[in-house]
Amino acid sequence: MTIVLTPYWSAADGVQKLKLEAQPNPPPAQGLLPPAFSQAVHFQRTLLQLRSKTSDIEKNIFLSQLKDADVNTFYKLCVANMSEITPLIYTPTVGDACLQYSSNFRRPEGLFISIKDKGRIGIILRNWPRLDEARISVVTDGSRILGLGDLGVNGMPIAIGKLSLYVAGAGVRPSSTLPITLDLGTNNQAFLEDPLYLGLRQKRASEAEYDEFMEEFMTEMSHAFPKLLVQFEDFSTDHAFAFLSRFRNRFPLFNDDIQGTGAVVLAGLLSAARLSPLQARDHRILFYGAGSAGVGVATQLLSFFTINGLSEEEARNHIWLVDSRGLIYTGRENVADYKQPFARKDYAGPPMIDLLEIIRYVKPTALMGLSTIKSAFTETVIRRMASQTPRPIIFPLSNPVQLSECTFSEALRASGGSVLFASGSPFPKENFGGRMWEPGQGNNMYIFPGLGLGSILCRASSVTDGMVEAAAIGLADSLSWDERALELIYPRIERIREISAHIAVRVIRTAQSADVDGSTGLRQLTDEQLLEFVQKKMWSP
């Protein structure tokens, strides 16, 4: 491959610079391809090959091999068929890809760093072949993959899939992505006994070992990759909150399970609220599920009320959380520290566990599901919601689809068509009441590509709460008039690149306001010029 020095004007620094650019490989010499070979026809051939596969996991394997063999064709396929490809390379199919990772393994992709590498993590990181190009890394320890639990090193497809969406959805260069799986053991006995399992055959490290390992890992990451943005993914609940709190002000990073999920749900709630006859201050939000995602979303949804004029304390009074032990309130025993900010002070009765009983007590206008309990939102629950508010907002957000609290069809029919619905996993359109209804999907893909792109381009030293909120508001504002007329909660995924560019602009402006932007030259650009700058930076296959 030829490397060329190309001059360019740096809007961020206000000077002309030179950059190394890898030139595409020349076409094969005559005779090395069939005489009638055409790239356009080959693209269609590849799509037909994909569609000939009989199961989603086979399609996932095919796409993985395609990306390895022909990265340009892979991403052309993704960009041109976003709604078809996204569920195959990420949720829900990525859950099966993780479960079967060790048995389906063909060749390595990404970096694997284990607890046994402690003391030499920096050396391992510098083995990455594209050291100078890395700009975004998705890091998982495999301890809480989707709703599937501790999958250990088998969590690698999560990091790979997320980074593929950064490329397809926001134009981040493929060569600048770095998937990393941290192997600190697994408590999954089935994997420990599986002869094909690719990870360490030991129980998870102690808390002290974990803390020391993560401190070394993040410090060495900042030395090896000084321009890298880190996204934490699918850490266990306690570690997710602890490591986000510990590192977020020291390094450019965010946790997608906590902040990304919170932002996409905030955007969905803002869109749904426009369709509800209620004022913002009249909404009451009940969370069924209070793990890292549930508390993260609840924290983000405080913004729904504060941007409408309420104080943070007033906003907190509009949110109720339910975990496996029932309603969370101050007098209840064994409430984890990270849940305490949402413990109700206005309830002092006996433990309240039954969801229907809690709904009768709270009278919520919005019901959020992050429990990973299939069918938790029964017909009776949905009917009760619909009887208490004219347009019940019901978001069963658990992934994958087999763990969703209810289906779109169930919510639509039980509510008589009044539901404002968004889910974590995709559901098909439904014909009901003489019209076709289109479900919303609160996919984090709407948020993290634009949030990451904006953070990278402005060289953010940290990812602030304001930047995450700006991404959410940018997403809510991105619905077209046609989409709003159809009462869609989220824009169509086919527009993801357009949406990501606009979100990136909002994120950059917010970073500038918070004075965490390293590329201060971008401050001189108008919003139109900044959008053009962002769009020019987006890679296309």
Side-chain angles (χ1 to χ4, degrees):
M1 179 178 287
T2 304
I3 301 294
V4 175
L5 282 173
T6 305
Y8 73 101
W9 177 258
S10 171
D13 301 314
V15 296
Q16 181 169 298
K17 295 183 176 182
L18 292 174
K19 62 180 175 182
L20 292 170
E21 285 195 335
Q23 300 302 296
N25 292 323
Q30 187 173 359
L32 298 182
L33 282 175
F37 179 84
S38 156
Q39 283 290 352
V41 174
H42 185 57
F43 177 84
Q44 295 301 321
R45 178 186 296 112
T46 304
L47 188 57
L48 289 171
Q49 290 171 349
L50 171 68
R51 290 172 176 169
S52 72
K53 306 300 178 184
T54 57
S55 70
D56 286 347
I57 190 63
E58 288 179 314
K59 293 177 181 180
N60 175 278
I61 292 169
F62 173 84
L63 289 167
S64 178
Q65 292 177 306
L66 176 64
K67 184 171 72 166
D68 181 48
D70 188 349
V71 68
N72 273 22
T73 298
F74 169 77
Y75 282 114
K76 281 181 182 178
L77 208 64
C78 291
V79 172
N81 303 275
M82 196 69 71
S83 61
E84 179 180 357
I85 302 297
T86 298
L88 300 175
I89 61 176
Y90 201 60
T91 55
T93 312
V94 73
D96 288 333
C98 289
L99 289 170
Q100 301 177 35
Y101 179 69
S102 288
S103 57
N104 290 341
F105 182 82
R106 283 160 172 76
R107 64 183 303 276
E109 181 176 359
L111 272 177
F112 300 84
I113 302 173
S114 82
I115 188 69
K116 295 186 182 300
D117 297 320
K118 191 171 173 294
R120 53 193 298 271
I121 291 175
I123 296 172
I124 306 297
L125 292 174
R126 287 172 177 80
N127 288 335
W128 185 243
R130 295 181 294 277
L131 197 65
D132 295 331
E133 296 179 66
R135 294 294 181 272
I136 175 71
S137 178
V138 174
V139 179
T140 184
D141 72 343
S143 56
R144 192 196 59 82
I145 298 296
L146 301 174
L148 303 172
D150 184 353
L151 301 189
V153 79
N154 287 344
M156 177 57 96
I158 285 285
I160 294 169
K162 271 276 169 76
L163 288 168
S164 293
L165 296 183
Y166 271 105
V167 178
V172 173
R173 289 184 176 275
S175 59
S176 68
T177 64
L178 172 54
I180 297 179
T181 291
L182 306 177
D183 188 356
L184 291 100
T186 180
N187 294 333
N188 188 318
Q189 193 61 35
F191 289 151
L192 292 174
E193 295 173 0
D194 180 0
L196 297 181
Y197 180 60
L198 289 162
L200 293 178
R201 297 181 186 279
Q202 65 179 56
K203 296 290 186 179
R204 286 200 171 269
S206 69
E207 287 301 310
E209 289 178 302
Y210 233 112
D211 287 347
E212 291 175 4
F213 178 90
M214 289 301 297
E215 183 67 36
E216 180 184 348
F217 171 72
M218 288 305 301
T219 300
E220 292 297 340
M221 283 280 279
S222 68
H223 294 160
F225 306 105
K227 297 180 181 179
L228 192 72
L229 172 70
V230 174
Q231 176 188 316
F232 284 159
E233 185 73 19
D234 285 350
F235 281 73
S236 64
T237 298
D238 290 346
H239 287 158
F241 280 99
F243 294 146
L244 176 63
S245 175
R246 180 174 174 179
F247 296 121
R248 65 176 307 186
N249 295 319
R250 295 167 54 192
F251 309 105
L253 68 85
F254 70 101
N255 183 302
D256 189 56
D257 303 300
I258 297 172
Q259 296 163 288
T261 302
V264 78
V265 178
L266 172 59
L269 184 60
L270 289 168
S271 297
R274 295 190 189 113
L275 302 169
S276 168
L278 303 180
Q279 297 296 313
R281 65 178 56 245
D282 295 326
H283 280 286
R284 300 157 69 86
I285 305 172
L286 177 63
F287 281 83
Y288 189 65
S292 60
V295 176
V297 172
T299 303
Q300 193 64 61
L301 291 197
L302 293 173
S303 299
F304 173 78
F305 297 104
T306 57
I307 62 180
N308 284 288
L310 276 69
S311 69
E312 184 171 316
E313 189 56 35
E314 290 172 327
R316 210 175 292 277
N317 288 332
H318 286 254
I319 295 175
W320 288 256
L321 266 62
V322 177
D323 63 11
S324 60
R325 295 186 177 92
L327 182 69
I328 295 174
Y329 58 98
T330 53
R332 206 192 81 181
E333 295 180 352
N334 300 319
V335 175
D337 289 344
Y338 69 91
K339 301 177 187 180
Q340 288 289 352
F342 290 97
R344 300 297 303 189
K345 300 174 183 176
D346 53 3
Y347 180 78
M352 195 181 298
I353 299 173
D354 181 69
L355 177 58
L356 191 59
E357 180 186 1
I358 294 169
I359 289 173
R360 290 194 187 102
Y361 170 73
V362 174
K363 296 181 174 57
T365 60
L367 178 60
M368 305 288 169
L370 295 109
S371 66
T372 67
I373 299 176
K374 178 178 173 58
S375 302
F377 297 169
T378 63
E379 180 180 349
T380 306
V381 164
I382 297 167
R383 287 186 182 278
R384 183 69 192 186
M385 285 291 297
S387 73
Q388 295 181 168
T389 186
R391 299 300 304 272
I393 298 168
I394 298 179
F395 287 8
L397 298 167
S398 293
N399 282 314
V401 68
Q402 61 264 32
L403 299 178
S404 183
E405 287 80 6
C406 69
T407 68
F408 180 46
S409 176
E410 290 165 348
L412 189 64
R413 283 162 173 76
S415 69
S418 65
V419 70
L420 296 167
F421 179 95
S423 57
S425 291
F427 286 105
K429 298 177 183 179
E430 292 288 336
N431 195 324
F432 175 75
R435 59 165 281 196
M436 190 64 72
W437 300 73
E438 194 168 336
Q441 185 190 355
N443 194 324
N444 290 20
M445 180 186 177
Y446 282 115
I447 291 290
F448 67 78
L451 175 60
L453 179 64
S455 300
I456 292 167
L457 292 180
C458 75
R459 298 180 190 170
S461 58
S462 65
V463 179
T464 67
D465 289 338
M467 292 161 68
V468 178
E469 181 181 302
I473 296 172
L475 173 57
D477 290 344
S478 69
L479 284 156
S480 68
W481 289 112
D482 289 346
E483 290 164 340
R484 293 186 187 206
L486 292 171
E487 295 193 346
L488 299 190
I489 303 298
Y490 294 102
R492 290 197 168 92
I493 201 69
E494 289 81 2
R495 295 177 49 227
I496 186 61
R497 286 200 157 210
E498 172 194 343
I499 295 162
S500 293
H502 284 280
I503 288 175
V505 169
R506 298 280 188 106
V507 168
I508 292 170
R509 289 298 190 219
T510 308
Q512 292 168 348
S513 298
D515 201 27
V516 296
D517 59 318
S519 299
T520 54
L522 297 179
R523 298 183 181 188
Q524 312 306 317
L525 303 181
T526 65
D527 286 349
E528 292 75 16
Q529 290 171 330
L530 183 57
L531 177 60
E532 183 180 358
F533 168 80
V534 169
Q535 290 169 332
K536 285 182 177 179
K537 288 291 185 180
M538 295 172 73
W539 176 84
S540 293

